[in-house]
Amino acid sequence: MTDTPTEQPPVMNTRSVVGLAACAVIALVGIFLIPTLQEPSGGLNVRFWTMAALELLAMGGVVYFVLNLHEEPE
Amino acid sequence: MDPIALQAGYDLLGDGRPETLWLGIGTLLMLIGTFYFIVKGWGVTDKEAREYYSITILVPGIASAAYLSMFFGIGLTEVTVAGEVLDIYYARYADWLFTTPLLLLDLALLAKVDRVSIGTLVGVDALMIVTGLIGALSHTPLARYSWWLFSTICMIVVLYFLATSLRAAAKERGPEVASTFNTLTALVLVLWTAYPILWIIGTEGAGVVGLGIETLLFMVLDVTAKVGFGFILLRSRAILGDTEAPEPSAGAEASAAD
């Protein structure tokens, strides 16, 4: 990452901002979804893996979108 | 030692869970931290600072939701271990799975390491939490302790990586960054080491400590590791980019952080 001498303020990448918001929603869904997934036939593992997958997805998304939060100058 | 003698708390909801006192306090403290970081970061224009604020706001924000779910008993399940039924607050693991990699991302951005290093660090951390969750849901003591050991080894790898590679990278970025990085890494080393110890002596392990005390201690660790971490990071001038002039909000108090 190199800085050019131009003094223009960094431009936020709108897609990344929206992505961060979406990841926050996914993380919240992961936390609150489990009670709604209760199944009579031993669905414990399925529910917890669903939660873990959603949290991992949200976390991975945050990492990606933070690393691409700004438009790269041409 | 009788675990009941080490119980503590107050049953706020009247559902037989005295630990709701600590879960309620945890929710409030995480919310306060979230709003404090939002207010502090409002209008920040520095490129690097924006990245730190984005991460540091999300961490206590999601943790407050996890604490709220545990407070209302949503993030709670029962696991039978050797004929005994244990209450497991699994929402902790959802919280940790999302937030602990992001705390490491903060440190990686501070040290300015490459994306492969970030991916490795985040991946091992995620493995640490997932194996901890498997341990928490296991039905035999042998399986539980085995997964705990696996998870703890992953944690040691993460902490070693922080204390060596990332520390060296942070040192190259100058004294301001090195100082902030060392403070945060020391905080992480101490607090994160306490988690597996608390797990093994708590209700999910040997049961020496009751659920009330365990919940209290996890709450203190969580709040310090997330809100305390963010407070130190965002007060530091080290989070500003190399070319950016210091802003009043971040630069004025920098000397206090040294």
Side-chain angles (χ1 to χ4, degrees):
Chain A
M1 195 185 305
T2 55
D3 291 319
T4 56
T6 53
E7 292 297 329
Q8 287 186 339
V11 179
M12 295 270 273
N13 185 336
T14 309
R15 192 179 297 176
S16 291
V17 175
V18 173
L20 283 174
C23 288
V25 172
I26 292 170
L28 289 173
V29 168
I31 290 170
F32 289 99
L33 187 68
I34 285 196
T36 68
L37 289 176
Q38 283 182 357
E39 301 163 30
S41 54
L44 191 71
N45 285 336
V46 174
R47 287 186 285 138
F48 284 109
W49 284 119
T50 304
M51 177 200 77
L54 286 173
E55 295 305 324
L56 281 173
L57 177 69
M59 178 273 291
V62 170
V63 173
Y64 175 80
F65 290 123
V66 164
L67 293 177
N68 296 281
L69 191 57
H70 294 92
E71 306 273 5
E72 286 298 324
E74 295 295 327
Chain B
M1 198 179 298
D2 181 6
I4 301 301
L6 292 172
Q7 278 288 10
Y10 185 79
D11 184 3
L12 291 176
L13 298 179
D15 59 0
R17 293 185 301 133
E19 65 273 16
T20 49
L21 174 65
W22 313 123
L23 296 171
I25 292 172
T27 306
L28 281 177
L29 292 176
M30 292 294 187
L31 275 177
I32 290 169
T34 305
F35 286 117
Y36 173 76
F37 296 146
I38 289 173
V39 169
K40 191 170 164 57
W42 202 262
V44 165
T45 56
D46 181 79
K47 185 179 169 181
E48 284 190 26
R50 276 177 182 167
E51 294 173 354
Y52 292 112
Y53 274 101
S54 302
I55 301 164
T56 312
I57 289 168
L58 278 174
V59 166
I62 295 302
S64 64
Y67 263 87
L68 189 65
S69 78
M70 291 189 284
F71 177 74
F72 285 117
I74 298 169
L76 175 67
T77 192
E78 290 181 337
V79 174
T80 305
V81 181
E84 187 185 350
V85 177
L86 296 181
D87 285 337
I88 305 288
Y89 281 103
Y90 66 83
R92 286 190 199 296
Y93 296 91
D95 167 8
W96 295 337
L97 200 47
F98 182 81
T99 59
T100 58
L102 297 186
L103 293 169
L104 294 176
L105 179 61
D106 265 337
L107 290 170
L109 290 175
L110 199 56
K112 249 186 183 164
V113 291
D114 58 77
R115 295 189 179 196
V116 173
S117 299
I118 293 174
T120 306
L121 198 60
V122 165
V124 177
D125 181 272
L127 188 63
M128 170 183 85
I129 303 300
V130 168
T131 51
L133 175 62
I134 296 171
L137 299 176
S138 296
H139 297 286
T140 65
L142 177 63
R144 297 178 72 82
Y145 292 130
S146 299
W147 286 114
W148 171 86
L149 183 63
F150 192 103
S151 178
T152 303
I153 290 170
C154 291
M155 186 198 71
I156 291 168
V157 171
V158 168
L159 296 183
Y160 177 78
F161 199 50
L162 278 184
T164 55
S165 302
L166 265 73
R167 190 179 177 200
K171 196 177 176 183
E172 288 179 8
R173 292 199 62 201
E176 187 82 49
V177 170
S179 170
T180 303
F181 185 87
N182 289 340
T183 304
L184 292 172
T185 302
L187 186 78
V188 167
L189 283 171
V190 171
L191 294 177
W192 286 31
T193 304
Y195 279 94
I197 296 171
L198 183 54
W199 192 97
I200 205 78
I201 64 171
T203 55
E204 295 185 44
V208 174
V209 173
L211 191 56
I213 291 288
E214 178 188 297
T215 308
L216 165 65
L217 294 177
F218 270 134
M219 185 270 287
V220 172
L221 286 174
D222 281 342
V223 170
T224 313
K226 295 177 173 70
V227 179
F229 179 99
F231 190 74
I232 294 170
L233 176 69
L234 299 180
R235 277 174 64 93
S236 170
R237 192 162 36 193
I239 67 166
L240 291 171
D242 298 332
T243 56
E244 189 80 10
E247 294 174 359
S249 62
E253 297 164 314
S255 58
D258 292 337

